[in-house]
Amino acid sequence: MSRIIFSSPSTLPQLYSTSRRIVKMSVAQTINPGVSFRSMVVKPPSHPTYDMKGVIKLALAEDAGDRGDVTCLATIPFDMEVEAHFLAKEDGIVAGISLAEMIFHEVDPSLKVEWSQKDGDYVQKGLQFGKVSGQAHNIVVAERVVLNFMQRMSGIATLTKTMADAARPACILETRKTAPGLRLVDKWAVLIGGGRNHRMGLFDMVMIKDNHISIAGGIINAIKSVDQYLEQQNLQMEVEVETRTLEEVDEVLRYTSQTKSSLTRIMLDNMVIPLPNGDVDVSMLKDAVEMINGRFETEASGNVTLETVHKIGQTGVTYISSGALTHSVKALDISLKIDTELALQVGRRTKRA
C-alpha cells in the first residue's frame, strides 16, 4: 500500500517566488491531496519506499544551487505573467505530462497547466500540445527540470511503443537497467509506451540468475533454497530462474515435475543467436519454448533489438525483456517556448519544427 508522508519545509535556496507548504509523498500517491491531475491516464507503478516528491525536489534543488536562478532574478520581474507553449520538435510518443504537472505544482501551485494531448499520445514534429500560464519567473525556473523528465520519459515511451508493437503476441518488458534514482520514472514511461514492467527491484520478485546459481552450486540447489526460504518466511511471490542451455531447461522441468516448487517463470537467456548476415537464429529459443509447453511463463533475454524483436516474438515466448528500453534511451526533442512564432521560425530554419 502506498504511504503518504508529510514533512516540514526544508531549508532550500530561493527556488521560486512564492512560499508554500512542502508535501512529501511516495509511489503513486505523489499528488497533493485536493489537487486533481486529469492528465494521469497511466498511473506510476507501485513502490513501497520511492519518494517521487523527493526526486522532484532534488532535481529542482540541484538546478538552483545555493542562489536560485540568478538570470531570472536579474531579468524577470516577480509579478510578470506569461504563457508558454510545449512544442514537439520530432515525432514520437509523449510521456511525462502528469509528472510535469507535479513539478509545476511544486514550484508554484498557482500555475495553470493545460494539455491538448495526454500521456501515451502520438505527437508530430511542430505540434503545440500544451501550455502553462502564470508567473514568468516560476515557469522559467521549472522549465528545464520539466523538460528533462519529459524528454527522457518520451524517448523511453517512443522506443517502448515501437518494440511492443513489433513483439506481439509477446509482451515487452524493461529491466532494472534504469538511471540511478529514476527507477520508478523510467518504468512509468515504459507503461505509458505500452510495455509491461518487470520486477521493480530486488524485493518484489525472486530472480535466480547465473551468479546465484554458481554460488548455490547448481540450478536445482538454487531453486530448492528459494523454495525453502519462501516457505520459512511465509512469502508468496513470483520466482524466475535463468537458463542458458537446453540442458538447464530440461533439468528445471524434470525437478519441478517431481517436486512442488514456487517457480513461475523460466528465463531463456542468450538463446537468440546472431548470424553473420545480421539476422538471428531463434531455433534454440523455439525448442526451449516447446519443451516448456506452457508449464511456466517464458522470457527471452539477450540480442533483443528493433530488428530482432518481431522474430523473437513469433517463437511463442510470453515475455521479451530489453535493457535498451531504459539504458540506451534517446530523448525526444521537446521545448517550452514563450515566443512560439519565433521558435517555429528557428525550428523551420534548422529542420527541427
Side-chain angles (χ1 to χ4, degrees):
M1 191 71 181
S2 305
R3 292 181 299 135
I4 301 178
I5 309 165
F6 294 87
S7 64
S8 58
S10 337
T11 304
L12 293 171
Q14 185 171 2
L15 306 180
Y16 342 103
S17 62
T18 181
S19 60
R20 72 210 182 289
R21 182 183 62 171
I22 295 174
V23 184
K24 179 182 178 184
M25 301 184 184
S26 61
V27 205
Q29 299 294 334
T30 51
I31 304 173
N32 191 297
V35 177
S36 173
F37 293 111
R38 289 171 293 177
S39 61
M40 187 174 284
V41 292
V42 180
K43 291 183 179 181
S46 180
H47 191 292
T49 61
Y50 196 91
D51 181 8
M52 182 76 83
K53 198 76 160 182
V55 170
I56 292 170
K57 287 166 59 179
L58 179 62
L60 291 165
E62 73 177 0
D63 217 16
D66 60 352
R67 291 182 183 275
D69 187 339
V70 292
T71 312
C72 276
L73 292 169
T75 62
I76 302 177
F78 276 146
D79 58 352
M80 178 177 285
E81 295 202 350
V82 296
E83 186 176 273
H85 293 260
F86 285 92
L87 180 66
K89 291 188 172 180
E90 58 183 318
D91 300 348
I93 302 297
V94 67
I97 283 176
S98 297
L99 184 53
E101 290 194 18
M102 296 178 205
I103 297 166
F104 283 126
H105 188 268
E106 173 69 17
V107 171
D108 179 357
S110 72
L111 292 176
K112 185 180 180 182
V113 190
E114 300 175 73
W115 308 97
S116 62
Q117 307 293 314
K118 61 185 182 299
D119 278 331
D121 282 350
Y122 179 79
V123 294
Q124 290 182 303
K125 183 170 72 171
L127 178 69
Q128 292 183 31
F129 62 90
K131 65 181 180 180
V132 55
S133 55
Q135 286 188 300
H137 177 97
N138 291 338
I139 290 173
V140 176
V141 163
E143 173 192 358
R144 178 41 51 195
V145 173
V146 165
L147 290 176
N148 282 350
F149 279 114
M150 285 191 72
Q151 288 176 316
R152 178 177 176 84
M153 290 183 71
S154 297
I156 292 171
T158 299
L159 179 57
T160 300
K161 172 64 174 170
T162 306
M163 295 276 272
D165 287 348
R168 290 192 180 100
C171 297
I172 197 77
L173 307 171
E174 85 297 82
T175 67
R176 284 168 49 239
K177 297 174 183 176
T178 53
L182 298 182
R183 174 68 56 81
L184 190 138
V185 173
D186 284 0
K187 285 179 173 282
W188 190 3
V190 168
L191 293 180
I192 291 169
R196 295 270 295 272
N197 287 152
H198 210 307
R199 59 176 178 162
M200 182 59 61
L202 300 173
F203 59 91
D204 58 332
M205 178 184 187
V206 175
M207 182 180 283
I208 308 168
K209 297 194 62 120
D210 52 357
N211 285 336
H212 303 109
I213 292 167
S214 297
I215 294 168
I219 197 164
I220 302 307
N221 283 346
I223 295 173
K224 286 179 179 178
S225 296
V226 167
D227 288 337
Q228 290 169 5
Y229 174 81
L230 293 178
E231 185 176 358
Q232 289 167 0
Q233 300 297 317
N234 196 27
L235 288 174
Q236 287 188 337
M237 60 175 60
E238 289 185 286
V239 176
E240 180 171 11
V241 66
E242 176 184 312
T243 59
R244 294 156 290 180
T245 66
L246 295 180
E247 289 72 25
E248 283 189 327
V249 173
D250 182 62
E251 197 176 351
V252 170
L253 292 175
R254 281 190 287 108
Y255 171 74
T256 54
S257 67
Q258 300 165 3
T259 308
K260 184 181 178 182
S261 174
S262 52
L263 185 68
T264 56
R265 187 185 305 176
I266 299 177
M267 177 186 284
L268 308 169
D269 191 44
N270 287 311
M271 294 189 187
V272 176
I273 314 301
L275 299 174
N277 64 0
D279 198 2
V280 287
D281 179 1
V282 296
S283 58
M284 183 180 179
L285 180 63
K286 285 186 76 171
D287 288 345
V289 171
E290 288 173 6
M291 287 171 64
I292 295 166
N293 194 28
R295 287 174 54 190
F296 300 98
E297 294 177 339
T298 52
E299 177 185 333
S301 177
N303 293 311
V304 178
T305 66
L306 278 172
E307 293 72 33
T308 65
V309 69
H310 177 72
K311 195 168 185 178
I312 297 169
Q314 301 306 303
T315 62
V317 290
T318 318
Y319 301 108
I320 303 171
S321 57
S322 171
L325 291 179
T326 54
H327 73 53
S328 300
V329 58
K330 177 186 178 294
L332 192 73
D333 199 357
I334 298 170
S335 63
L336 180 64
K337 295 297 181 185
I338 294 169
D339 188 345
T340 53
E341 286 304 313
L342 180 57
L344 283 168
Q345 287 179 33
V346 174
R348 283 189 284 267
R349 187 178 71 221
T350 58
K351 311 295 185 188
R352 295 173 69 197

